[in-house]
Amino acid sequence: NAGVTQTPKFQVLKTGQSMTLQCAQDMNHNSMYWYRQDPGMGLRLIYYSASEGTTDKGEVPNGYNVSRLNKREFSLRLESAAPSQTSVYFCAGTPQNTGELFFGEGSRLTVL
Amino acid sequence: AQSVTQLGSHVSVSEGALVLLRCNYSSSVPPYLFWYVQYPNQGLQLLLKYTSAATLVKGINGFEAEFKKSETSFHLTKPSAHMSDAAEYFCAVSVAGELSFGAGTTVTVRA
């Protein structure tokens, strides 16, 4: 039982490159989320998926796309990376809409 | 929309001293409230939660928090700090499934 697993854990990109962050959970969560964490700003919601096949924008969606491939997987894509997207990204899931989230260990992205 | 304010971005305490982290929220409806902890290079994990039952909530590792509706506060305390409590702590409020985090408070424990 791995919980919420994110890959890769570290990535360095050049401006304009694209990449996909992968997230998979084995906890049968209905809802899944992508957050970014920046110093002094807490966690900000990028996108979320309330159920398989649905996705919605969060607070800071610009420059990102997501895909809820099935109940287990929720990926985050940067089509053309910018230095402002340098951050630590967290995937999380919850079985219910109560705010009790289970987080992955994070993916640290640097855009040069 | 709801929001969370954590007072103090950094708190330094001596080992064995009281830990007090302050959190105030705003919400037009009764919220669920949470404290999460993040150890270095890890994801967040749930410390405790308030979901409209008892106003004094006990969590893991000796932490507890008290919900005070009149003060719109949900402060986190631990009577005696341990070196292992050094981490970043986040208060969060959830209304209708929408979760908002505070900016976080980093706790340093001095030997």
Side-chain angles (χ1 to χ4, degrees), chain A residues 41-101:
Chain A
M41 303 187 74
L43 278 77
R44 293 182 292 169
L45 182 64
I46 305 171
Y47 271 93
Y48 67 99
S49 170
S51 61
E52 183 180 350
T54 67
T55 61
D56 287 287
K57 295 178 180 180
E59 180 184 356
V60 288
N62 291 345
Y64 305 95
N65 285 301
V66 290
S67 179
R68 183 77 181 268
L69 304 171
N70 47 56
K71 191 170 186 178
R72 289 188 65 247
E73 298 172 291
F74 188 40
S75 60
L76 178 72
R77 182 161 178 83
L78 288 69
E79 290 291 352
S80 179
S84 60
Q85 294 177 304
T86 293
S87 187
V88 182
Y89 292 85
F90 287 98
C91 178
T94 180
Q96 304 168 346
N97 267 351
T98 59
E100 182 174 352
L101 300 180

Side-chain angles (χ1 to χ4, degrees), chain A residues 37 90 98-101 103-104, chain B residues 32 34 36 38 43 49 90 99:
Chain A
Q37 183 180 27
F90 287 98
T98 59
E100 182 174 352
L101 300 180
F103 285 83
Chain B
Y32 291 166
F34 304 83
Y36 285 86
Q38 183 182 31
K49 63 180 179 182
F90 293 91
L99 187 66

Side-chain angles (χ1 to χ4, degrees), chain B residues 67-107:
Chain B
F67 172 67
K68 291 187 175 181
K69 184 178 179 181
S70 60
E71 299 177 7
T72 61
S73 69
F74 191 56
H75 301 331
L76 180 71
T77 60
K78 181 174 180 177
S80 177
H82 190 272
M83 297 300 289
S84 61
D85 295 326
E88 189 163 17
Y89 293 79
F90 293 91
C91 184
V93 59
S94 176
V95 174
E98 183 177 335
L99 187 66
S100 298
F101 286 90
T105 299
T106 299
V107 172

Side-chain angles (χ1 to χ4, degrees), chain A residues 27-47:
Chain A
M27 304 176 76
N28 203 34
H29 293 157
N30 290 321
S31 299
M32 298 183 72
Y33 304 79
W34 275 106
Y35 288 89
R36 61 178 288 173
Q37 183 180 27
D38 302 291
M41 303 187 74
L43 278 77
R44 293 182 292 169
L45 182 64
I46 305 171
Y47 271 93

